[in-house]
Amino acid sequence: MLDLAREILQTLRHNKLRTALTGLAVAWGIFMLIVLLGVSRGIYNSSTRNGNTEAYSYLTLWGGWTNKPYKGYKEGRRIRLEESDIDPVGRRGGRLVESAMGSISIDSAKVRTMRDYVTDGIYGVYPGADVAERVTMRHGRFINGRDLSERRKVMVLNTDNARLLFGSEDSAVGRRVDCMGLSWAVVGVYDNEWQRTSYVPFSTAMMLRGNDGRINNLSVKLTGMRDAADADEAEQGVRAVMAQNHEFAPDDAGAVHVWNRFENYIRNQEANAILQTVVWVIGLLTMLSGIVGVSNIMFVSVRERTHEIGVRRAIGAKPRSILVQVLAESVAITALFGYVGVFLGIVATEIIDRLFGQTDFLYNPRVDISVAVEVTVVLVAVGALAGLFPAIKATKVKPVEALRDE
C-alpha cells in the first residue's frame, strides 16, 4: 500500500501542469454540483418552511357559487358553510377522513390592554388548528378540548401582538386582555410569518357572533395518505357529503372550493425530485471534461511507463496488480481535486446562505452529510471510470515488447 501511494505521488509530480489543469476541471465540476444542489435544497426548503408532513394532511373548504342547475335549483346559488357540516363530514367523508373542524373569524374585534390595542381580530378554532394553520407555539399552549367544551374565554396571541400589548412576548402568558367587552386569559403565544390574528375557542367565538350557524371555513384532517390517488379520493368523498348537505351536483367544483394540501405536497415532492435530477445531470455533464482529462493523463502515464510495466510483468506481476495501480492513481487524482471542489462548494453555499438564506426564494441553501456521501461515491466512480480504459490498456502490454520500448 505504501509503494502504491509513493507511485501515485510520483505520477502527480511528473505531470504537474497536466495534472493541475485536469484537476481544475474536476474541481470546477464538483464545485458547480455542490452549489446547484445547495440552491435546489434552498428552493425546496423555502416551499416547505412553514409546515411539515402532518400539516399537509388537510383539506380546507370554503363556500362558493354553484355552476350547474341541480334538483330544481338554478346555477349561481351561493353555498355557505355551516356548523352543521362539521359532524357529517367527519363521520361520512370516507376512509381517509379522520376528523373535521370549523373556524370562524370576527375581524372587527379589538384586543386591548392598558398599554395598547391591536385590530387584527379574533379567530375561533378547534384544538389541533395550530397544526392546520402551521403556527409554532413559543410560550404556553394552544386551544384545547376543555376550552372548547366549556366555552372558556382564553386567547392565544401572536408574538408581535404580545410584545405590543405587554412589552415582551414571554410575559404575556397568564395576563389578561379585553376584547368585545369581556376579559380573556392569555394562555399561549405563537409565531407565524403570515398570521397575526388572535386564536380563541370556536364555541366561544360562535356564541359572541350570535350563533347564526355560519362558519368561515372547514378543515378536514386526513389519515393514511400515500399518493395523489388518495388525495383525490379524500377530496371527492368530502365533496359528496357537502353536495348532499347543500343539494348541489357532486361534480360542481365551484360550489365548494377545496384546498387540497396533500396534493400540493405531492406536486412539490415531484418538482423537487425533477429539480434534483436536473442538477445532478448538469453537474455530471460539467464533470465530463474532467473525466476526459483524467483519462488522457492516465493514457499518457501508461505510455510513458510501458518499459516499467514490462519489467514488472517479466518478474511475475499479475495483470490485476497493474490494473489496480492505474485505477488507484486515477481515483486519487479525481478524489484529491474533487474534495477541493467540495470544500469550495460548501464555502460558496455558506456565503449564499448568509446573503440570501432567509428570503422567500431561498431558505437554508446548504448541503447535508448525505450529499457529501453521494458526492464521495460519485468521485470514486468517476475516478474509476476515468482510469478504466488506460488500466485495461496497461494490462494488455506484452513483456517482451515492453522491454524493447524506450
Side-chain angles (χ1 to χ4, degrees):
M1 182 62 68
L2 187 60
D3 291 338
L4 180 60
R6 190 179 298 112
E7 290 175 357
I8 292 173
L9 288 175
Q10 183 179 356
T11 301
L12 294 178
R13 290 171 183 169
H14 185 67
N15 301 295
K16 292 181 181 179
L17 181 59
R18 283 187 311 212
T19 302
L21 293 176
T22 302
L24 181 62
V26 174
W28 175 254
I30 291 294
F31 171 80
M32 289 301 300
L33 179 60
I34 293 295
V35 171
L36 289 173
L37 286 173
V39 170
S40 67
R41 172 60 61 179
I43 294 172
Y44 178 73
N45 289 342
S46 178
S47 66
T48 59
R49 63 185 298 187
N50 293 320
N52 50 43
T53 304
E54 185 180 3
Y56 284 108
S57 297
Y58 279 87
L59 300 177
T60 303
L61 284 68
W62 295 271
W65 301 81
T66 59
N67 294 326
K68 300 178 180 181
Y70 187 74
K71 290 186 176 180
Y73 294 104
K74 295 182 178 180
E75 68 273 15
R77 179 166 54 97
R78 179 72 180 273
I79 301 298
R80 299 179 183 272
L81 302 187
E82 300 177 357
E83 185 181 6
S84 58
D85 294 322
I86 299 174
D87 184 61
V89 169
R91 288 188 298 103
R92 297 187 280 111
R95 65 179 183 88
L96 299 171
V97 173
E98 180 177 321
S99 61
M101 54 188 180
S103 58
I104 177 176
S105 64
I106 304 178
D107 299 329
S108 59
K110 294 182 180 181
V111 181
R112 304 174 183 271
T113 62
M114 294 294 293
R115 179 187 178 93
D116 214 326
Y117 70 93
V118 294
T119 59
D120 297 303
I122 60 176
Y123 203 44
V125 296
Y126 274 62
D130 53 335
V131 178
E133 296 290 327
R134 304 178 185 181
V135 303
T136 302
M137 294 304 300
R138 296 301 185 192
H139 306 280
R141 63 172 178 84
F142 198 70
I143 304 300
N144 62 28
R146 291 192 63 180
D147 296 333
L148 192 71
S149 61
E150 297 177 9
R151 298 184 179 180
R152 291 176 174 177
K153 293 182 285 296
V154 295
M155 187 176 293
V156 180
L157 296 176
N158 175 269
T159 51
D160 293 336
N161 289 345
R163 284 192 289 267
L164 184 64
L165 295 173
F166 297 104
S168 65
E169 61 183 75
D170 54 354
S171 65
V173 177
R175 307 279 291 276
R176 303 194 75 86
V177 297
D178 294 326
C179 181
M180 300 187 72
L182 300 174
S183 178
W184 303 71
V186 178
V187 296
V189 177
Y190 76 91
D191 186 29
N192 183 276
E193 187 175 359
W194 312 109
Q195 290 278 16
R196 290 177 58 91
T197 190
S198 301
Y199 292 102
V200 301
F202 175 84
S203 54
T204 310
M206 287 293 288
M207 179 181 64
L208 289 174
R209 206 175 73 168
N211 204 18
D212 60 0
R214 292 178 179 174
I215 61 177
N216 288 79
N217 59 60
L218 193 155
S219 294
V220 182
K221 185 177 182 181
L222 306 176
T223 183
M225 302 295 290
R226 297 183 303 273
D227 50 32
D230 286 341
D232 185 64
E233 178 185 342
E235 181 176 337
Q236 296 305 319
V238 170
R239 281 189 180 277
V241 176
M242 293 298 296
Q244 185 176 1
N245 286 357
H246 294 271
E247 294 189 301
F248 62 82
D251 60 346
D252 190 346
V256 173
H257 301 296
V258 179
W259 178 22
N260 195 329
R261 299 186 188 181
F262 193 80
E263 185 176 350
N264 291 345
Y265 172 74
I266 293 293
R267 290 176 179 173
N268 285 340
Q269 292 292 94
E270 292 175 348
N272 181 63
I274 293 172
L275 182 60
Q276 292 286 328
T277 301
V278 170
V279 165
W280 275 102
V281 169
I282 293 174
L284 293 176
L285 289 176
T286 305
M287 291 177 59
L288 185 60
S289 60
I291 296 175
V292 174
V294 172
S295 184
N296 286 336
I297 279 187
M298 297 316 300
F299 270 118
V300 172
S301 177
V302 169
R303 180 68 185 89
E304 292 176 346
R305 295 158 61 190
T306 301
H307 186 77
E308 174 193 336
I309 294 172
V311 172
R312 294 183 60 184
R313 291 292 306 277
I315 62 177
K318 296 181 179 180
R320 185 177 64 180
S321 66
I322 305 297
L323 181 70
V324 170
Q325 178 185 346
V326 177
L327 286 177
E329 291 178 7
S330 178
V331 170
I333 294 173
T334 307
L336 174 63
F337 290 97
Y339 280 117
V340 172
V342 170
F343 174 75
L344 295 177
I346 291 175
V347 171
T349 57
E350 289 293 331
I351 294 174
I352 293 172
D353 182 54
R354 292 291 183 90
L355 296 176
F356 309 105
Q358 302 299 319
T359 62
D360 293 336
F361 179 69
L362 285 178
Y363 180 72
N364 192 23
R366 299 175 178 176
V367 295
D368 51 27
I369 188 64
S370 64
V371 174
V373 172
E374 291 172 358
V375 170
T376 300
V377 173
V378 169
L379 286 175
V380 174
V382 166
L385 179 62
L388 179 61
F389 294 104
I392 293 175
K393 180 181 179 181
T395 61
K396 293 181 179 180
V397 172
K398 296 180 180 180
V400 175
E401 296 178 0
L403 291 174
R404 291 201 302 262
D405 186 80
E406 294 296 338

